[in-house]
Amino acid sequence: MKKLLFICLSLFSISNYAQIIALQTYGTGFASPVAIEHPANDSRLFIVQQRGLIRILNTNGVTNTTPFISLVGTVSNSGNEKGLLGLAFHPNYVTNGYFYVNYTRLSDGATVIARYSVSADPNIASTTETILLVIPQPFTNHNGGTLRFGPDGYLYIGTGDGGSGGDPGNRAQTITENLGKMLRIDVNSVSPYGIPPTNPFVGVAGNDEIWSIGMRNPWKFSFNRLNGDLWIADVGQDAVEEIDKIASPLPNTGLNFGWRCYEANTTYDTSSGTCPAYASTVAPFTQYTHAATAGCSITGGYFYTGTTYPNFQNKYFMADYCNNKIGTVNSAGIITWTAALAGAFTTFGEDLNGELYISNSSTVYKIIDSSLATDSFSKSGLSIFPNPVKNEFTLNNSNQINLSKAQVFDLSGKLLLSQNLINSESNLINISSFTTGLYLITIEDTFGNKHQTKLIKQ
């Protein structure tokens, strides 16, 4: 049975009811999941485990027994910030079967970007590896991890500054280093990869793979699947966590996000003498301090593009590993936090419909809005118990309104059930045949008045 955790989320605006973020258990039994991905138009979720496995989680909540691929023995198994860290499916995966991974290599700790392909069995991948890029790592931390295809069809790779603390080698600002950068490569032109001709250092001093510089550790970044905006959550040093937003179409001018010269919008270390003026760097879209939030490390997520939960519209979702809270960012850059939850959040995921998921060290949750009651419903003396419901629920009618019928609709407006009601304090309604999800229930009285609320089927 799926479980729900309800967390009150305070709003800055006044509404008729408090918005509630709920986490619905979607899959369990994972070992250190660090990424949740899916190929285009594929309802399955692929769960990346840090020690080297990618496992398939199906829509019924069942995880395939056999891993999609095992890279155990290839990737570092020391934990911390090393391991199998990222997965990206080629936009044409359905025809070419290619997917790409980002891992730290067991033999030397270097970051490896490699290509694999699916086998004839869609649930099993071939273990034949094509290495595209190797980036030596001077320290064991700040390895980045995320890689994604952008709206331009190129593969973007976020790299950390090489680790230790404070970027002692000033690598993030050094254009002959691939560390502390957002890299952009073309995996479709030549093997193992080509350079997009619009990359900022093509034909001039600087590594051709670089798209932007000045990152500390962009552990998670994502593209808005509808408009191409790029959202980057760059993990801070001692004081500030940073969220950057680059509007589409993405520029090709060699953006500088400021690290190590600046930590978010504060000066950190300008001793190199080569730091740009702060005004010439990319200012954070928003930020938060460790002191104010008890946070320590941002886990970036997604701008919500689904349709199931209108309250989530126009918000970017993220979390902090240390304060165990989920945060949403509105269009003004204002962050609203949930209450603390059990377990540190390591990654977000997005399905083919834009609905969101999040995981801690063992469990994948679906993020839902559980603000089920409406004033018109409750003021009429109507209530539903239990809600969420497993098989059947009771419609309570405390004001003993003369009721006519109950109708249940899915979110597309399709009528799934219509039941005549008796004039009683309670009516029992069975929805055991429904699939797990969110529904709308409309109660009509004998005068034609309608009262609607939301219903969750577990």
Side-chain angles (χ1 to χ4, degrees):
M1 182 179 73
K2 295 182 185 293
K3 300 177 181 178
L4 294 173
L5 301 176
F6 297 100
I7 308 98
C8 292
L9 179 61
S10 301
L11 299 177
F12 288 99
S13 59
I14 298 174
S15 62
N16 291 330
Y17 57 88
Q19 180 181 340
I20 304 294
I21 283 182
L23 302 183
Q24 186 181 65
T25 301
Y26 195 77
T28 59
F30 298 102
S32 300
V34 291
I36 303 169
E37 305 295 343
H38 71 92
N41 301 315
D42 195 320
S43 61
R44 300 172 298 170
L45 296 180
F46 289 69
I47 314 302
V48 179
Q49 297 187 164
Q50 188 175 5
R51 298 299 175 89
L53 298 182
I54 299 177
R55 305 176 67 193
I56 295 177
L57 175 59
N58 299 289
T59 55
N60 61 0
V62 175
T63 304
N64 291 356
T65 302
T66 302
F68 178 62
I69 195 170
S70 172
L71 299 181
V72 176
T74 300
V75 308
S76 173
N77 60 5
S78 63
N80 193 16
E81 297 180 28
K82 300 197 295 185
L84 179 59
L85 303 177
L87 165 67
F89 290 94
H90 194 283
N92 296 325
Y93 176 79
V94 69
T95 56
N96 64 26
Y98 291 155
F99 63 94
Y100 301 80
V101 295
N102 182 338
Y103 66 84
T104 48
R105 192 161 55 189
L106 178 62
S107 59
D108 59 2
T111 287
V112 175
I113 308 300
R115 187 189 74 203
Y116 290 85
S117 61
V118 68
S119 71
D121 182 342
N123 292 315
I124 303 293
S126 167
T127 56
T128 301
E129 179 184 62
T130 300
I131 293 179
L132 279 65
L133 189 62
V134 176
I135 305 172
Q137 291 286 355
F139 299 97
T140 61
N141 57 338
H142 300 183
N143 296 310
T146 302
L147 69 170
R148 296 194 184 281
F149 283 91
D152 50 18
Y154 297 135
L155 184 62
Y156 288 72
I157 304 161
T159 66
D161 63 9
S164 186
D167 191 8
N170 197 29
R171 294 179 172 87
Q173 290 294 320
T174 303
I175 61 174
T176 55
E177 287 263 10
N178 278 339
L179 294 170
K181 311 295 191 299
M182 188 70 72
L183 308 180
R184 182 172 68 175
I185 62 176
D186 181 357
V187 299
N188 296 310
S189 57
V190 296
S191 183
Y193 68 88
I195 300 296
T198 51
N199 275 10
F201 297 107
V202 172
V204 298
N207 287 6
D208 289 352
E209 295 88 353
I210 295 173
W211 178 75
S212 68
I213 70 172
M215 312 297 300
R216 183 179 178 273
N217 192 27
W219 164 235
K220 294 294 177 183
F221 67 89
S222 63
F223 292 95
N224 181 321
R225 70 188 182 104
L226 299 183
N227 69 10
D229 290 349
L230 172 60
W231 292 81
I232 307 171
D234 197 7
V235 179
Q237 177 70 32
D238 298 318
V240 189
E241 302 297 308
E242 174 177 344
I243 297 170
D244 301 300
K245 176 189 174 184
I246 309 301
S248 181
L250 303 181
N252 301 305
T253 53
L255 301 178
N256 188 340
F257 290 91
W259 176 254
R260 73 178 183 179
C261 304
Y262 310 100
E263 181 184 12
N265 66 356
T266 61
T267 299
Y268 181 80
D269 183 353
T270 56
S271 62
S272 67
T274 59
C275 285
Y278 176 76
S280 66
T281 64
V282 179
F285 180 73
T286 192
Q287 62 187 56
Y288 64 90
T289 65
H290 296 179
T293 63
C296 74
S297 179
I298 190 170
T299 300
Y302 293 84
F303 186 87
Y304 180 75
T305 59
T307 58
T308 301
Y309 307 114
N311 284 328
F312 293 173
Q313 296 289 338
N314 300 314
K315 292 182 176 65
Y316 172 77
F317 280 68
M318 52 82 177
D320 190 280
Y321 184 79
C322 290
N323 69 17
N324 302 329
K325 297 178 180 180
I326 294 176
T328 58
V329 182
N330 68 11
S331 59
I334 297 172
I335 302 174
T336 303
W337 294 97
T338 67
L341 304 170
F345 295 122
T346 54
T347 189
F348 284 80
E350 180 185 50
D351 67 19
L352 76 168
N353 297 314
E355 302 305 331
L356 300 183
Y357 302 78
I358 194 171
S359 74
N360 58 19
S361 61
S362 62
T363 303
V364 174
Y365 300 97
K366 187 172 185 178
I367 302 175
I368 66 172
D369 178 357
S370 65
S371 51
L372 302 176
T374 62
D375 283 351
S376 64
F377 198 85
S378 57
K379 285 180 179 179
S380 300
L382 300 174
S383 63
I384 290 173
F385 181 83
N387 192 9
V389 57
K390 184 175 182 181
N391 292 313
E392 59 184 17
F393 63 90
T394 299
L395 170 65
N396 294 310
N397 179 17
S398 61
N399 291 346
Q400 297 191 39
I401 301 171
N402 290 325
L403 301 179
S404 171
K405 62 183 176 181
Q407 294 180 310
V408 182
F409 302 85
D410 66 16
L411 294 179
S412 70
K414 180 180 178 181
L415 177 63
L416 303 178
L417 179 148
S418 182
Q419 178 176 321
N420 292 330
L421 300 174
I422 60 174
N423 288 316
S424 170
E425 289 189 11
S426 64
N427 280 262
L428 192 64
I429 299 176
N430 189 297
I431 60 167
S432 58
S433 63
F434 287 22
T435 58
T436 299
L438 184 68
Y439 299 89
L440 300 177
I441 179 169
T442 297
I443 306 300
E444 185 173 338
D445 63 27
T446 55
F447 296 101
N449 299 311
K450 295 181 179 181
H451 313 275
Q452 190 175 72
T453 191
K454 299 175 184 177
L455 174 72
I456 287 181
K457 170 67 165 62
Q458 289 184 321

